[in-house]
Amino acid sequence: MLKLTLLPAALILLSAHVFASPAEDSRAHFQSIASGDVAQLMQNYAEQAQFNWIGGPIDGLYAGKTAINTVWSKFTQAQGAQKISIEKLEESLNPKGATVTANVFFEGKAKIKVRYVLTWREGKIINETWQIDPQLNFN
């Protein structure tokens, strides 16, 4: 009988490792940007996602996966291989979705400091804000 009572607990523990948190998904999203893997990056988006890029040469509002793919292709091609630093990553969540904020420093051909806001629903990004902020401090 003891084995049967432990089974549900074991399944809960295993399922916790199968599904990443929105914070973990956001870290993976930032890593995909840095690696230039646009195909991997695009798997995170809902079909009707919106991306608000504030500042820099790609400034604009992009709606839908096709437009977002075009932006990331331009950016990753222009930036080349990048290193990233992630600080102050915070996750707010409830049963309807999650918002993740972070300061992210991308170091490629250009050094770009970004205040990031990602909104997740059902495991997909529905809204993304990329706010270039040269005043951010990184350790």
Side-chain angles (χ1 to χ4, degrees):
M1 195 55 103
L2 180 59
K3 289 180 184 177
L4 290 178
T5 57
L6 292 177
L7 183 60
L11 289 175
I12 289 170
L13 287 174
L14 285 174
S15 68
H17 294 289
V18 173
F19 300 105
S21 72
E24 292 167 334
D25 288 341
S26 296
R27 282 187 186 279
H29 183 72
F30 304 145
Q31 291 290 342
S32 293
I33 295 167
S35 73
D37 188 346
V38 176
Q40 176 66 37
L41 186 58
M42 292 309 298
Q43 292 179 14
N44 296 325
Y45 291 96
E47 275 308 312
Q48 300 305 316
Q50 291 193 8
F51 186 2
N52 196 11
W53 189 300
I54 304 168
I58 307 178
D59 182 276
L61 177 61
Y62 303 92
K65 286 179 83 169
T66 300
I68 294 169
N69 188 349
T70 300
V71 169
W72 282 129
S73 295
K74 286 180 186 177
F75 177 77
T76 56
Q77 187 175 38
Q79 264 300 81
Q82 302 177 84
K83 291 190 272 182
I84 62 166
S85 300
I86 302 167
E87 294 185 356
K88 297 183 181 177
L89 188 136
E90 296 180 3
E91 175 186 76
S92 298
L93 82 129
N94 66 40
K96 297 289 186 174
T99 300
V100 176
T101 59
N103 295 339
V104 185
F105 184 31
F106 295 91
E107 293 182 84
K109 290 179 183 171
K111 294 180 179 180
I112 306 169
K113 295 178 181 180
V114 178
R115 178 67 181 151
Y116 231 110
V117 181
L118 291 169
T119 305
W120 297 84
R121 287 189 187 260
E122 299 177 1
K124 297 288 184 183
I125 297 169
I126 62 159
N127 195 20
E128 179 171 18
T129 299
W130 168 290
Q131 171 75 54
I132 293 178
D133 185 350
Q135 302 307 310
L136 289 176
N137 291 319
F138 287 86
N139 295 325

